[in-house]
Amino acid sequence: MRFEAGGQPLPQGDFVRLEPLHRRRAAELAQAAEEDRGTYAYTWVPRPADLTAYLDLQLTRAAEGLISPYAQISASTGRAVGVTAYCEPRAWRDPGRLDAVEVGHTWLAASAQGTGINAEAKLLLFRHAFEVWRVSRVDLKTDARNTRSRAAITAVGATLEGVLRNWSTSKYPGEEGELRDSAIFSITAEDWPGCRTRLEKRLARYAPTPSA
């Protein structure tokens, strides 16, 4: 199973627009990535010197249909503040029908965290997966040691399924070439209605108060 090259069209939200990843956003992404790297912990976020190689890798994988990456564009500023992606497409029953997909490769600038952008990006990605593709499940995973990421994934309504030992290569500085344990979360099609309501309620807290 492969993604279509060029990315999947997604509607714009109130806080974020998910734009197919492109090199024209390189300077903005470099600035976003350097705001406060203490917020990233075990997350893979490129340094400015590595950004060209990072974009080359992600766009090559996108052209091969392995991932569908997006720049997260702040609706208020029009600037790129992070990246997210669909990845790991799987078809079990029909080669032409997507059954499951992962949402990952996600990071946000420190100033964009806690603003509603992450919650809305997840809502847009999940809604497309469940309501357009009709997938049976969406996966999310993170380094098992990344308590911040695990809390954020739980907050969007995903269920922890377990920790897989030595599951993938570590992205933590100084651990290049080593393996990490990964915490695996899921949202199933049966979970989706409740998850959607939960995300919509979270977003309502960020909405501006109407003037009298």
Side-chain angles (χ1 to χ4, degrees):
M1 189 71 189
R2 294 288 186 268
F3 293 113
E4 294 179 11
Q8 311 300 318
L10 297 175
Q12 177 169 337
D14 295 327
F15 303 99
V16 66
R17 181 175 80 254
L18 296 179
E19 175 185 287
L21 190 63
H22 194 279
R23 290 182 180 86
R24 65 174 173 270
R25 295 290 184 176
E28 295 170 10
L29 290 171
Q31 182 176 348
E34 288 299 300
E35 283 188 2
D36 178 3
R37 295 192 66 87
T39 66
Y40 299 139
Y42 299 95
T43 303
W44 178 32
V45 183
R47 303 304 299 247
D50 303 323
L51 195 65
T52 296
Y54 170 85
L55 290 173
D56 286 347
L57 174 62
Q58 298 297 65
L59 293 174
T60 295
R61 297 179 72 205
E64 294 171 348
L66 301 177
I67 66 171
S68 184
Y70 298 90
Q72 300 193 69
I73 310 299
S74 167
S76 63
T77 67
R79 294 180 61 83
V81 292
V83 171
T84 192
Y86 288 120
C87 50
E88 300 293 336
R90 280 153 290 155
W92 297 312
R93 294 170 290 187
D94 179 342
R97 181 185 183 278
L98 193 65
D99 279 304
V101 69
E102 182 178 321
V103 169
H105 299 283
T106 301
W107 61 270
L108 272 178
S111 63
Q113 296 172 24
T115 64
I117 287 177
N118 179 61
E120 188 169 57
K122 293 297 190 297
L123 177 61
L124 296 174
L125 290 163
F126 295 164
R127 188 167 63 196
H128 188 83
F130 285 113
E131 298 179 12
V132 178
W133 286 333
R134 301 288 181 181
V135 300
S136 61
R137 62 178 281 144
V138 169
D139 303 335
L140 302 100
K141 69 173 183 283
T142 188
D143 191 306
R145 299 168 294 181
N146 194 340
T147 55
R148 184 188 185 100
S149 178
R150 290 177 65 159
I153 293 172
T154 300
V156 302
T159 297
L160 176 65
E161 295 190 330
V163 174
L164 301 182
R165 297 178 297 169
N166 291 346
W167 181 250
S168 59
T169 55
S170 175
K171 305 299 182 184
Y172 193 68
E175 294 183 354
E176 292 80 1
E178 298 182 17
L179 297 176
R180 75 175 199 191
D181 296 347
S182 292
I184 309 298
F185 296 77
S186 71
I187 300 168
T188 67
E190 294 76 16
D191 298 333
W192 170 235
C195 177
R196 177 172 179 164
T197 298
R198 183 173 182 169
L199 282 169
E200 289 172 342
K201 287 181 178 179
R202 282 188 65 191
L203 284 171
R205 299 201 298 265
Y206 295 105
T209 303
S211 57

